[in-house]
Amino acid sequence: MILQRIILGFLAMGPLSGYDLKRHFDSTVDYFWSADKAQIYRTLAALVSEGLAEVRTVPGVGGPSRQEHRITAAGRAALHEWLTSDLDQTPERNAFLARVFFADDLSPAEIAELLEQRRSAVRATLAALELVRDSAPAPHDRAGRLRLATLDNGLRHTRTELDWLDSLIEELP
């Protein structure tokens, strides 16, 4: 259901093909919500089936035609209802923390390797987020400010995780 609402949010910004949606996911919200191509296309089909989006074929210019999806009035209402509803209380899943939780039987070298792998991945994420932030235009409206705020949240969480990893690496023998 949340993926449906996120896709409706993108469609509320303007008509998009499934390919365009995947690019938007990868370049904007991937640090807090990811979706693969198959999930996106299945969800688009469900949104159309439920009357929350509509699809039309747009002739391609020098290429194949594309299926362009648009949000409907019912879709806007569903998006609004979700945005104003009680916050979802779904617990976060984190496979890395599950590994740390059960890592007491690993050797110190294996634990160090686990933590170093994560630190490397988090550093790469931080670099990617900083690149997005550095290339993002200054927000000129509330929508832009809110989108930049989600990026700031990702940056802060990522920096905090790096600090935590550094402390844990120093603390463990």
Side-chain angles (χ1 to χ4, degrees), residues 4-17 20-21 23-29 31-32 44 47 52-53 66 68-72 75-77 79-80 82-83 137 141-148 150:
Q4 279 192 348
R5 298 315 182 248
I6 291 171
I7 289 176
L8 285 174
F10 278 126
L11 294 179
M13 295 166 63
L16 296 166
S17 68
D20 293 332
L21 271 167
R23 282 188 330 162
H24 280 311
F25 266 91
D26 292 347
S27 65
T28 60
V29 300
Y31 59 94
F32 64 86
L44 282 170
L47 290 170
L52 301 176
R66 56 189 235 137
E68 189 175 79
H69 296 80
R70 296 175 181 270
I71 192 169
T72 63
R76 285 188 188 282
L79 178 61
H80 184 267
W82 176 65
L83 290 171
D141 58 9
R142 183 173 56 185
R145 180 65 198 116
L146 290 169
R147 291 185 183 106
L148 201 57
T150 64

Side-chain angles (χ1 to χ4, degrees), residues 23-155:
R23 282 188 330 162
H24 280 311
F25 266 91
D26 292 347
S27 65
T28 60
V29 300
D30 190 57
Y31 59 94
F32 64 86
W33 202 276
S34 63
D36 63 36
K37 230 170 35 171
Q39 290 173 307
I40 290 170
Y41 282 98
R42 272 194 314 271
T43 304
L44 282 170
L47 290 170
V48 169
S49 174
E50 294 171 22
L52 301 176
E54 58 189 17
V55 62
R56 69 181 182 122
T57 302
V58 177
V61 178
S65 298
R66 56 189 235 137
Q67 299 295 308
E68 189 175 79
H69 296 80
R70 296 175 181 270
I71 192 169
T72 63
R76 285 188 188 282
L79 178 61
H80 184 267
E81 181 182 325
W82 176 65
L83 290 171
T84 58
S85 68
D86 291 337
L87 292 177
D88 305 308
Q89 298 300 317
T90 55
E92 193 173 319
R93 294 180 180 184
N94 187 319
F96 168 71
L97 287 179
R99 288 180 185 205
V100 170
F101 189 86
F102 294 110
D104 57 317
D105 284 339
L106 296 180
S107 71
E110 290 170 323
I111 292 172
E113 177 61 24
L114 174 67
L115 297 175
E116 283 298 332
Q117 283 181 23
R118 180 63 177 193
R119 185 160 58 174
S120 177
V122 172
R123 282 183 177 152
T125 298
L126 180 60
L129 292 175
E130 287 173 338
L131 186 62
V132 170
R133 185 209 50 221
D134 293 345
S135 64
H140 297 291
D141 58 9
R142 183 173 56 185
R145 180 65 198 116
L146 290 169
R147 291 185 183 106
L148 201 57
T150 64
L151 178 59
D152 183 50
N153 177 275
L155 284 162

